[in-house]
Amino acid sequence: MRNFFNKDTWIKPYLKKDKKLLFTAFSLGILTIICSIGLMFVAGYLISRSATRPYNILIVYVPVILAQAFGTGRPVFQYLEQLTSHNWVLRVVSSLRQRLYVTLEKGADFVGERFKLGNLLGVLSDDLEHLEDLYLKTIFPIITSYITGTLLIILLGIISWPYAIFMFICFAIILLVVPVISVIIFGKAKKYEKDLVADNYQNLTDATLGVTDWMISGRKNDFVNEGTKNDDKLAQSRNKVDHFEWNRDLFLRGMIGIIILGSIIWGNIYLNDSQSMSNYIAAFVLGVFPLLDTFIPVSQAMENWPIYKESVSRLNNLSNQLDTEEKETKAEFDENKINRISMNNVSFKYDDDNSEILQNVSINLKKGQKLAIIGPSGVGKTTLLQLLIGSINPNKGEIKINNTKVSDLQNNRSDIFSVLDQQPFLFDTTIINNVMIGNEQASFEQAKKALSDVELSDYIESLPNQYDTDIDESGIKLSGGQRQRLAIARILLQNNPIVLLDEPTVGLDPITENNLIKTLNKVLKDKTIIWVTHHLQGLSKMDEVIFLQKGTIQMDGSPAELYKNNEKYRKLYQMDQGIEN
């Protein structure tokens, strides 16, 4: 447990946030419990004292006033405690949500390669909600109950140490022993259920992404079953958990009964010497009853710790793997004066991978040059792009733009790089909005010009709503080539000096591919381009081509030089063009 909190960056740091508000919430919670106990205690004394028929109403005047005070104070303090604790928690959760989205945003370039979409869905839908519950339903009630229990033991120790020892033993069973047993039993059950839910998320995500294939094959029932196949197992597990909860709560109520019985016995022994003292027997007995609402929820709060721990661990792992060190300000860097990109003896491997993906790779690119990176799948082409933009850091070597390390330009990236990959994301909004996402400060006319430059204007203006046409989720109303052109228009509007192309023509038919390449060469002619591809179509316009294989550069030169002097490149080109030897 201590090891866990030492490495945690999602719970402990936020407990130190806004300490005054947090202290106020705990104090109000304790006052609420004290008022509940005080109300029952005074009520018990008042009933007993009134039963003796006091000769003057003033004799019970103080208990009456105290009963009114405690009765009024309890709901007031409870309301203020809930208001304060929720205020604190909502502030913290707001910071956590912002941090999560910043974490995912900074790793967005490759987050899909490192994490399953279903697991990310679990992070977004469950884990932050679990953190909110952790504060409200676990940390707050546990700390409040432990502080209250300690104060009661100290107070009872002043009155009677035998009674204090008896209460200490009962409190220890209720607040320590039973919660620990609950954590042990629930740990396995909750982890099992969470795995089933995560599997459901993953199955549902996979099934949804392939919904067209399910419909074409007529397997609608199989589609539904993919997302619900673990429901019976979940129901069985939860039935067992519910049965344990019922037995545990019955035992805890039995422990409160033992405390009540012990209080009666202690009162008869120690408070029966005189009429005035015997009036306190009912007070002590009735004062025990509020402990039902105070101490029993501790076990219920602790039982969910395993699932909270799982959520926190997942969030910590997400942060660690994406390596998102937040910086408050941009580096002093002029994006309009980029003269050189250099990668010097760079090597890289993922933490869980023994083999290096890239080994001693060096690249030098001047402003306006166009570099193509080719090679078979899985040799590290996309990884090389991620290194260039600083999404991941090399294990060895350095990457610089001019004389500044890319790692120092994290908050400048959106002004330096534009990226076009195989499946650019288009939002469920209008065409013009999708383009202007590239530059929200741009005018409507500038966005129209960008669309005209990529040769989409004629098509758009033939539509009933023209530029205000909704393209639905992921741009499904557009063809593959049109989606890519729309993404290129977005890049033009960004007007960043360096453009990274990650196999943007994959999946397009040859005619569309050829037209798109012509458009890229025309509209990006003044940009520095790094183009990752396994296809040699259109490379004649590149200044330099490098061939990656087994993590190293096997060929390097201009397309014309390589075709003339390198037999391997010539064969690759002929195979790509379908030329028979």
Side-chain angles (χ1 to χ4, degrees):
M1 181 82 73
R2 182 182 297 175
N3 235 2
F4 173 82
F5 279 108
N6 286 338
K7 297 178 180 179
D8 167 62
T9 61
W10 285 83
I11 299 179
K12 189 170 68 173
Y14 292 92
L15 286 173
K16 300 176 183 178
K17 189 173 182 179
D18 209 342
K19 292 180 181 178
K20 289 183 180 179
L21 192 63
L22 186 61
F23 176 77
T24 302
F26 285 132
S27 300
L28 290 169
I30 294 167
L31 286 173
T32 301
I33 298 171
I34 290 174
C35 283
S36 298
I37 296 172
L39 177 62
M40 296 300 289
F41 184 91
V42 173
Y45 175 82
L46 186 59
I47 292 170
S48 297
R49 188 71 183 87
S50 299
T52 62
R53 296 183 180 181
Y55 59 87
N56 194 321
I57 192 64
L58 294 177
I59 293 176
V60 294
Y61 181 73
V62 173
V64 169
I65 296 300
L66 286 174
Q68 290 176 338
F70 285 132
T72 304
R74 181 182 177 277
V76 170
F77 287 134
Q78 185 177 36
Y79 172 76
L80 292 176
E81 183 271 334
Q82 291 183 351
L83 190 67
T84 307
S85 61
H86 280 72
N87 183 17
W88 183 88
V89 168
L90 289 174
R91 290 185 186 185
V92 168
V93 172
S94 176
S95 299
L96 290 171
R97 289 188 186 280
Q98 183 178 7
R99 180 184 170 191
L100 175 60
Y101 284 107
V102 167
T103 298
L104 292 175
E105 179 194 18
K106 289 188 175 182
D109 304 304
F110 69 109
V111 70
E113 297 178 11
R114 301 292 301 279
F115 304 97
K116 290 183 178 180
L117 188 58
N119 286 338
L120 286 178
L121 185 61
V123 171
L124 294 171
S125 65
D126 288 340
D127 290 345
L128 284 180
E129 184 180 344
H130 288 159
L131 285 188
E132 184 176 343
D133 290 341
L134 172 63
Y135 288 117
L136 283 175
K137 298 180 181 178
T138 299
I139 293 177
F140 277 79
I142 288 175
I143 292 178
T144 302
S145 296
Y146 282 4
I147 293 174
T148 304
T150 303
L151 291 175
L152 288 175
I153 295 298
I154 293 172
L155 181 62
L156 293 175
I158 296 172
I159 297 172
S160 170
W161 64 264
Y163 187 45
I165 291 175
F166 166 73
M167 295 293 274
F168 174 79
I169 293 171
C170 292
F171 285 4
I173 294 172
I174 295 172
L175 296 177
L176 294 175
V177 176
V178 175
V180 169
I181 293 173
S182 295
V183 169
I184 293 171
I185 292 177
F186 272 77
K188 185 177 180 181
K190 290 296 184 181
K191 185 180 184 305
Y192 175 67
E193 289 178 14
K194 191 166 182 69
D195 289 342
L196 289 176
V197 171
D199 189 47
N200 265 357
Y201 275 133
Q202 188 59 47
N203 291 335
L204 182 60
T205 303
D206 290 342
T208 302
L209 291 176
V211 65
T212 304
D213 294 330
W214 289 100
M215 293 176 66
I216 290 172
S217 61
R219 298 169 59 196
K220 295 180 182 178
N221 292 334
D222 292 340
F223 171 78
V224 174
N225 291 336
E226 276 297 302
T228 60
K229 66 180 183 180
N230 292 325
D231 287 0
D232 289 341
K233 295 178 181 178
L234 279 169
Q236 291 174 5
S237 177
R238 285 170 182 168
N239 283 336
K240 291 180 181 178
V241 168
D242 290 342
H243 188 68
F244 171 80
E245 282 184 325
W246 187 88
N247 288 325
R248 181 199 60 202
D249 291 348
L250 179 64
F251 173 78
L252 290 173
R253 281 170 170 75
M255 286 300 304
I256 297 296
I258 291 173
I259 293 176
I260 293 171
L261 183 62
S263 298
I264 294 172
I265 295 171
W266 171 79
N268 283 327
I269 295 173
Y270 290 94
L271 302 177
N272 220 7
D273 294 338
S274 65
Q275 180 62 52
S276 61
M277 292 299 293
S278 63
N279 289 330
Y280 286 97
I281 297 176
F284 277 98
V285 172
L286 290 180
V288 172
F289 281 91
L291 298 181
L292 274 167
D293 296 328
T294 304
F295 288 171
I296 287 181
V298 171
S299 292
Q300 297 169 351
M302 286 286 284
E303 73 185 24
N304 286 319
W305 167 245
I307 197 167
Y308 295 151
K309 182 181 177 182
E310 184 76 15
S311 293
V312 175
S313 296
R314 186 155 61 172
L315 288 165
N316 281 319
N317 290 337
L318 183 68
S319 298
N320 294 336
Q321 290 187 53
L322 294 180
D323 190 25
T324 57
E325 179 182 354
E326 296 184 27
K327 299 179 181 179
E328 295 182 358
T329 58
K330 290 186 177 183
E332 292 185 7
F333 189 85
D334 190 345
E335 291 82 9
N336 297 316
K337 294 183 179 179
I338 293 176
N339 299 316
R340 181 167 54 90
I341 305 170
S342 60
M343 176 180 282
N344 300 316
N345 296 316
V346 167
S347 297
F348 177 81
K349 69 174 182 178
Y350 290 108
D351 294 336
D352 55 354
D353 195 346
N354 294 325
S355 60
E356 288 186 329
I357 297 174
L358 297 173
Q359 303 171 32
N360 299 317
V361 173
S362 294
I363 294 173
N364 285 286
L365 201 60
K366 294 180 181 179
K367 178 181 179 180
Q369 280 192 312
K370 294 169 177 51
L371 169 70
I373 304 170
I374 63 174
S377 299
V379 297
K381 301 189 298 296
T382 300
T383 300
L384 194 148
L385 290 188
Q386 294 162 6
L387 288 163
L388 279 169
I389 63 178
S391 290
I392 52 179
N393 297 316
N395 303 116
K396 188 175 71 173
E398 60 182 11
I399 304 163
K400 291 183 177 181
I401 296 180
N402 292 347
N403 293 315
T404 305
K405 290 184 178 180
V406 169
S407 57
D408 295 330
L409 297 172
Q410 289 296 308
N411 287 333
N412 300 69
R413 289 195 307 176
S414 60
D415 298 321
I416 296 174
F417 299 100
S418 293
V419 180
L420 178 64
D421 57 22
Q422 300 173 24
Q423 295 180 330
F425 189 83
L426 300 179
F427 294 89
D428 185 5
T429 183
T430 63
I431 291 173
I432 199 69
N433 284 343
N434 268 286
V435 176
M436 295 185 72
I437 286 170
N439 182 359
E440 295 179 358
Q441 307 304 319
S443 66
F444 181 78
E445 292 303 320
Q446 288 173 316
K448 282 182 64 176
K449 184 179 184 306
L451 288 165
S452 175
D453 289 342
V454 298
E455 300 176 3
L456 270 181
S457 293
D458 291 343
Y459 168 74
I460 294 171
E461 290 174 3
S462 69
L463 300 172
N465 295 323
Q466 298 190 350
Y467 296 94
D468 291 324
T469 300
D470 286 315
I471 58 175
D472 285 356
E473 187 176 359
S474 299
I476 197 170
K477 287 185 177 179
L478 303 178
S479 68
Q482 288 169 337
R483 287 195 288 269
Q484 293 290 40
R485 288 179 183 275
L486 191 57
I488 297 168
R490 186 188 290 172
I491 288 174
L492 291 181
L493 212 58
Q494 283 180 308
N495 197 30
N496 290 338
I498 302 173
V499 179
L500 309 179
L501 307 174
D502 188 3
E503 304 200 54
T505 61
V506 167
L508 302 180
D509 63 84
I511 295 175
T512 304
E513 178 185 24
N514 187 56
N515 291 336
L516 186 65
I517 289 172
K518 287 180 180 179
T519 300
L520 286 169
N521 289 330
K522 181 180 72 174
V523 300
L524 302 177
K525 62 182 179 180
D526 297 326
K527 305 293 184 183
T528 302
I529 295 177
I530 301 172
W531 184 2
V532 162
T533 182
H534 65 272
H535 194 9
L536 275 59
Q537 178 75 8
L539 294 193
S540 60
K541 300 293 185 180
M542 297 290 106
D543 298 308
E544 183 181 359
V545 177
I546 64 173
F547 182 84
L548 271 182
Q549 192 168 25
K550 297 181 180 179
T552 61
I553 296 177
Q554 302 287 328
M555 290 185 282
D556 186 3
S558 70
E561 289 173 350
L562 289 174
Y563 188 82
K564 180 179 179 181
N565 302 321
N566 192 298
E567 184 180 354
K568 186 174 183 179
Y569 180 84
R570 192 160 52 248
K571 287 183 177 179
L572 286 172
Y573 183 83
Q574 291 170 351
M575 288 173 59
D576 189 72
Q577 298 299 311
I579 300 173
E580 297 280 345
N581 286 332

